[in-house]
Amino acid sequence: MEKKLKKYKSQILDCITSNYKFDGFFQTKIDYLSLYTCDQQTNFLYSMYEPSLCIVLQGSKAVGFDDNLYSYNPSKFLLSCAFLPTTIKIEEASPQKPFYSLKINLNLEKIHEIIKNVDDVKFDTRNSQESGLFFGDMNEDIYELLLRLINLCDKDDKQAKYLSELILQELLYILVLDPQSGAFLNNFATTGTISNKITKAIVEIKSNFTEKLNIKELADMLEMSESSLYQGFKVVTSFSPIQYQKKIRLEEAKNMLRLQKAKVADVAFAVGYESQSQFSREYTRMFGISPKAHISYMQTAEI
């Protein structure tokens, strides 16, 4: 089986390198499929995982989440079922052997439809809670589907769109049938579970991060107690709701300072702070440098 996995992986890499010349992120013609490559190791950088399946094709990568460090390579896959702030680091990459990975965006509603139609697997329907990230073992079936998917990228748009949706359904079916990844997906995709409610809370906060967060109103909207919301949010994201919102605000502020060259006060108010001094204190606490000093540093370092 190991030989087959290596063969599939080699064929996928050959298809990518022979058809595409890119550095960094690349969006393919298939809406839910993107690629990434780099030819050197990196320091830890902020990354927001979205609901997705992430696979390393060559090299290795580290993910910092919930005070833990997870490393994975082509023998593992990563599932994320929510928008999760993490740090990532490319651990293994070189000009001779670049890092390559792919990401498949997931829709929890589509996963739920698959789950409803799977009769031969019974999930534990108790309201268990778990982290929003899951690491599983790659297998021959997944690699074979990825090869078919990558090969669609040189087909005409209509054919690629139609067949890619069928491949995605097949991929989700395989993930759902696996007892471990299936249980994880069921927890987050099934309406009414605590984890599913937390994903809705995450979307609500992320979509309205500039607004004042009212935990009671959010809990009432999700038909949860405030304590259950807080505890569940912490388990899934590793942050409290307030900490999560602060993380989103400050990362958005950093991007604005770097890309728009805006004034510190304007950025503070734009991301939802009512006080520039509070913004500066929290920014300095998070990044270890004041907003004003960070502007000069980022421009000099070209980060």
Side-chain angles (χ1 to χ4, degrees):
M1 181 175 288
E2 187 64 29
K3 276 189 175 182
K4 269 200 169 182
L5 292 180
K6 287 183 178 180
K7 182 181 178 181
Y8 279 134
K9 185 185 70 171
S10 178
Q11 290 175 324
I12 293 168
L13 284 169
D14 286 345
C15 184
I16 291 172
T17 55
S18 61
N19 285 287
Y20 305 110
K21 301 299 178 186
F22 64 99
D23 182 41
F25 173 86
F26 177 75
Q27 176 61 53
T28 71
K29 69 163 64 177
I30 297 169
D31 290 342
Y32 63 74
L33 175 65
S34 58
L35 308 172
Y36 179 83
T37 185
C38 70
D39 62 5
Q40 60 183 349
Q41 297 174 336
T42 68
N43 295 320
F44 276 104
L45 300 171
Y46 170 81
S47 178
M48 172 67 78
Y49 273 99
E50 56 191 317
S52 56
L53 168 66
C54 303
I55 294 168
V56 171
L57 298 169
Q58 183 167 275
S60 65
K61 181 180 184 180
V63 180
F65 181 74
D66 193 19
D67 295 326
N68 293 311
L69 187 63
Y70 304 92
S71 292
Y72 75 110
N73 55 37
S75 67
K76 295 281 185 180
F77 65 81
L78 181 154
L79 277 174
S80 170
C81 276
F83 292 94
L84 302 174
T86 66
T87 55
I88 60 170
K89 176 182 180 180
I90 306 303
E91 294 186 304
E92 186 182 344
S94 69
Q96 296 74 32
K97 196 173 182 180
F99 173 89
Y100 278 96
S101 66
L102 62 78
K103 181 180 72 170
I104 294 173
N105 290 339
L106 300 179
N107 181 301
L108 293 183
E109 292 180 1
K110 287 184 178 180
I111 295 171
H112 185 44
E113 287 301 313
I114 298 288
I115 290 171
K116 287 194 301 184
N117 290 294
V118 173
D119 296 325
D120 46 347
V121 177
K122 299 300 179 184
F123 299 107
D124 186 349
T125 56
R126 292 174 297 178
N127 283 338
S128 58
Q129 299 178 54
E130 57 185 316
S131 162
L133 290 183
F134 172 87
F135 291 88
D137 294 322
M138 286 293 290
N139 59 54
E140 184 181 323
D141 292 336
I142 295 176
Y143 265 128
E144 190 270 334
L145 283 173
L146 294 179
L147 178 59
R148 280 200 273 139
L149 185 62
I150 289 294
N151 281 328
L152 289 180
C153 290
D154 62 359
K155 305 294 183 183
D156 67 77
D157 292 352
K158 187 175 181 179
Q159 184 180 10
K161 181 176 177 60
Y162 180 78
L163 293 177
S164 65
E165 287 302 317
L166 297 179
I167 291 174
L168 179 59
Q169 283 195 344
E170 192 175 347
L171 177 61
L172 294 178
Y173 183 79
I174 289 172
L175 292 172
V176 167
L177 283 184
D178 179 86
Q180 292 184 314
S181 60
F184 173 79
L185 292 171
N186 179 69
N187 256 350
F188 284 90
T190 301
T191 302
T193 63
I194 293 177
S195 295
N196 181 260
K197 289 181 178 181
I198 297 301
T199 62
K200 293 176 180 177
I202 290 169
V203 170
E204 182 69 19
I205 295 173
K206 184 176 180 295
S207 301
N208 303 285
F209 70 88
T210 62
E211 299 179 10
K212 188 172 182 179
L213 181 57
N214 187 313
I215 299 297
K216 185 179 186 309
E217 288 183 0
L218 183 59
D220 288 345
M221 182 185 76
L222 297 169
E223 298 182 339
M224 301 178 72
S225 68
E226 292 181 54
S227 60
S228 293
L229 171 61
Y230 180 90
Q231 292 168 4
F233 206 97
K234 187 83 171 175
V235 169
V236 172
T237 69
S238 82
F239 295 101
S240 71
I242 295 293
Q243 290 171 331
Y244 182 89
Q245 183 192 55
K246 186 184 298 183
K247 181 79 171 174
I248 300 294
R249 283 181 170 182
L250 294 176
E251 287 292 348
E252 180 64 22
K254 185 179 77 170
N255 289 334
M256 292 176 67
L257 291 171
R258 176 170 62 92
L259 299 174
Q260 301 178 17
K261 300 179 181 178
K263 293 180 180 179
V264 172
D266 292 340
V267 169
F269 299 135
V271 298
Y273 281 88
E274 298 177 356
S275 163
Q276 181 183 340
S277 59
Q278 181 189 3
F279 167 73
S280 295
R281 283 195 305 272
E282 294 187 353
Y283 191 100
T284 302
R285 191 177 300 124
M286 179 166 166
F287 296 112
I289 188 172
S290 70
K292 190 173 181 180
H294 209 179
I295 294 173
S296 300
Y297 171 78
M298 289 188 291
Q299 290 174 347
T300 301
E302 297 183 352
I303 293 179

